[in-house]
Amino acid sequence: MEKLQQALEKARANRAAGLTPQGAPYAMAGVPQGATLQGGGPTQAPPPETGATPTGWAPSGRGHADSGSWRALAQMHIDPQTIATNRVLVTGGNNGSAHYDILRTRLREEARRHSARRIAILSGAPGAGKSTTTANLGLSFGRLPFMRTMVFDFDLRQPSLHTLLGQSPASDMGAVISGETGFAGHMLRHGDNLAFGLNRGPVANSGALLQSTQLEDFLDAVQDSYAPDLMLFDMPPFLVADDAHGFLQQVDGVVLLVEAEVTSKAQVDLLEQKLSALTRVLGVVLNKCHFPDESDTAAYGYY
Ligand SMILES: Nc1ncnc2c1ncn2[C@@H]1O[C@H](COP(=O)(O)OP(=O)(O)OP(=O)(O)O)[C@@H](O)[C@H]1O
Ligand SMILES: [Mg+2]
């Protein structure tokens, strides 16, 4: 039996017995937490990318995984040049990916502070750059060899991470969550410590699926059997469908993306208020800023 399947049965049994998973990650839902939009660019350099064994940042005891279970995930081939045309950068050190490394560092600090392992990337309106940021952040976290990161495309209405990463998955996360498609065969691993859960196309009934106990059990089972230190979720826009709204119960926090010169301060405040009633806002990212000294636009994080 697939490792995840065993964990799934355990999660269902726990639910039936009224037990919450060990170190349940939902504790922060409903805690109002302000994150302010502040000016200024990045002020700190990313830490040196050293380390060997993934150990993560959260207290021990929530899931365990030998590296064999990660190695068993199918390996993906990424063509750096192709995906660079989608603004997705595989290697660190160049100008574009350095911005995402800084964002990663700040997010990592925030997540550690709040023991957040499940983080949704969200915006109010479409097109703010959620998927681009999620892909880059995922690859950036993947460059930290001491962390295991899983990235899921939970924009099930209009999935795009597979396109951004130049992949053609045979199935989708809807089929994986419902058990029709095996997890280990569907996930795509990049290196030893980063895996993507992508979609081949739109998934029916996405709103209901993202609020279902089936999904809750699925995430617990993933945590239990693969012990990712971090799960990042690319989401549909918050104000367009109820998919993200329902799903926020499942995460420890959100990163709110704001499109520079498009979203007003009043809109950001309102969104932040709404999100804070549902989960912790770990930070607000002002995306697509233009800086006079840069030839390109970049993502910057503000915490
Ligand atoms: N930092 C950036 N600078 C310039 N362009 C960007 C940046 N981030 C994303 N984009 C561009 O913005 C467009 C929308 O990006 P993306 O698809 O990531 O947004 P999204 O929020 O996921 O959209 P949707 O709500 O439709 O899912 C793309 O053309 C992308 O290349
Ligand atoms: Mg998107």
Side-chain angles (χ1 to χ4, degrees), residues 87 100 126-132 155 237 287-288 297-299:
R87 296 183 175 274
Y100 290 107
K130 298 177 292 302
S131 303
T132 310
D155 184 348
N287 197 28
K288 306 192 193 181
T297 50

Side-chain angles (χ1 to χ4, degrees), residues 4-15 22 64 224:
L4 188 96
Q5 201 55 37
Q6 291 171 6
L8 208 46
E9 287 181 9
K10 192 170 132 197
R12 286 190 194 123
N14 279 347
R15 172 185 307 290
Q22 197 182 9
H64 49 83
D224 205 32

Side-chain angles (χ1 to χ4, degrees), residues 36-48:
T36 340
L37 187 72
Q38 297 160 1
T43 52
Q44 59 194 107

Side-chain angles (χ1 to χ4, degrees), residues 127 129-132 153 155 158-161 164 234-237:
K130 298 177 292 302
S131 303
T132 310
D153 191 346
D155 184 348
Q158 289 185 24
S160 68
L161 273 187
L164 291 182
D234 183 23
M235 302 304 299

Side-chain angles (χ1 to χ4, degrees), residues 138-174:
L139 289 162
S140 180
F141 273 106
R143 292 193 288 275
L144 298 180
F146 49 86
M147 276 187 71
R148 288 190 178 119
T149 302
M150 282 187 172
V151 179
F152 294 96
D153 191 346
F154 273 11
D155 184 348
L156 301 177
R157 286 171 189 261
Q158 289 185 24
S160 68
L161 273 187
H162 62 299
T163 311
L164 291 182
L165 293 164
Q167 305 297 310
S168 308
S171 187
D172 58 59
M173 287 309 302

Side-chain angles (χ1 to χ4, degrees), residues 80 88-94 96-98 101 139 143:
V88 181
L89 304 156
V90 180
T91 48
N94 68 41
S97 58
D101 288 349
L139 289 162
R143 292 193 288 275

